[in-house]
Amino acid sequence: MHKFIAMVGTNSDESTNRKLLQYMQSHYADQAEIELMEIKGLPIFNKPENHEIPAQAQAMADKIEQADGVIISTPEYDHSAPAALLNALEWLSFHIQPFVDKPVMIIGASYGALGTSRAQAHLRQVLDSPELRARIMPSLEFMLGHSLQAFDDQGNLTDQQKATKLDGLFKDFQVFVEITKKLKNANATTYEEVREMDWEKL
């Protein structure tokens, strides 16, 4: 059984993105172990001269490294991923490399009808950057619009078409995780390239 980290891409206490990940955690409990990861509490990234990494960020990195993959659920603010999520990713690429060749599934929930397509596209760019180099699931978009009305009192998705689509995408992600395991011939070199990046020149 795969073990996944599900990153809540917001510091909001009442986020439907958290609800979406909690739904996946419960709904797919017989298929995978999914552990929610909060990004609340991280200090604002400031590229410390002593290279000291917050204990919370290091603990997050350790869990990501040990996981088979990461699921990130992001809201969309001003056509982009939230600053809190980008801040977390900045810490998770500062002299630590948990995302190198790590399979990532990106999803998102929003209050409006348009979903989180721009935020997801933005997040793909960030995760594909030289400092992170994640393996992002291709051709995958799950956008939950009108998310305030999307769950029943038990936390289940009320739109069966959306639920069925997520079922299929989650199965595809598990296949992608297995495929990714075979695509690591350059992993050691890639890891060293990222590790040796000179942050003083970035």
Side-chain angles (χ1 to χ4, degrees), residues 114-194:
L114 297 179
T116 59
S117 60
R118 293 180 176 90
Q120 290 192 36
H122 180 212
L123 190 54
R124 283 177 179 273
Q125 287 184 310
V126 174
L127 289 166
D128 195 39
S129 67
E131 297 82 17
L132 286 160
R133 301 200 195 186
R135 297 272 192 178
I136 306 128
M137 174 79 172
S139 303
L140 166 63
E141 271 195 341
F142 181 79
M143 298 176 292
L144 185 65
H146 300 298
S147 58
L148 285 174
Q149 296 81 38
F151 302 94
D152 62 20
D153 292 339
Q154 287 73 47
N156 296 311
L157 288 174
T158 56
D159 186 328
Q160 188 55 51
Q161 185 175 1
K162 286 286 187 181
T164 299
K165 180 177 182 179
L166 186 58
D167 288 346
L169 293 176
F170 187 70
K171 289 179 181 177
D172 286 348
F173 182 58
Q174 298 208 65
V175 173
F176 178 67
V177 168
E178 291 303 310
I179 292 173
T180 301
K181 290 179 180 179
K182 301 177 182 180
L183 301 176
K184 291 193 174 182
N185 293 298
N187 177 260
T189 302
T190 302
Y191 186 89
E192 284 302 310
E193 287 178 352
V194 176

Side-chain angles (χ1 to χ4, degrees), residues 28-162:
Y28 302 126
D30 61 338
Q31 299 181 40
E33 180 184 346
I34 300 176
E35 178 182 350
L36 263 64
M37 176 179 284
E38 299 285 350
I39 62 174
K40 294 187 293 184
L42 282 171
I44 295 175
F45 180 74
N46 61 354
K47 199 165 76 170
E49 293 183 3
N50 62 2
H51 298 174
E52 185 176 352
I53 299 166
Q56 181 183 350
Q58 185 62 64
M60 293 166 68
D62 292 343
K63 288 187 175 185
I64 290 170
E65 285 184 344
Q66 294 165 12
D68 294 304
V70 178
I71 305 165
I72 303 177
S73 189
T74 180
E76 181 170 311
Y77 301 150
D78 300 329
H79 290 181
S80 67
L85 176 55
L86 300 179
N87 181 62
L89 294 176
E90 286 172 346
W91 279 119
L92 291 170
S93 62
F94 182 66
H95 297 289
I96 47 179
Q97 299 80 34
F99 277 103
V100 172
D101 289 337
K102 185 67 61 176
V104 176
M105 176 181 184
I106 302 173
I107 60 176
S110 68
Y111 295 171
L114 297 179
T116 59
S117 60
R118 293 180 176 90
Q120 290 192 36
H122 180 212
L123 190 54
R124 283 177 179 273
Q125 287 184 310
V126 174
L127 289 166
D128 195 39
S129 67
E131 297 82 17
L132 286 160
R133 301 200 195 186
R135 297 272 192 178
I136 306 128
M137 174 79 172
S139 303
L140 166 63
E141 271 195 341
F142 181 79
M143 298 176 292
L144 185 65
H146 300 298
S147 58
L148 285 174
Q149 296 81 38
F151 302 94
D152 62 20
D153 292 339
Q154 287 73 47
N156 296 311
L157 288 174
T158 56
D159 186 328
Q160 188 55 51
Q161 185 175 1
K162 286 286 187 181

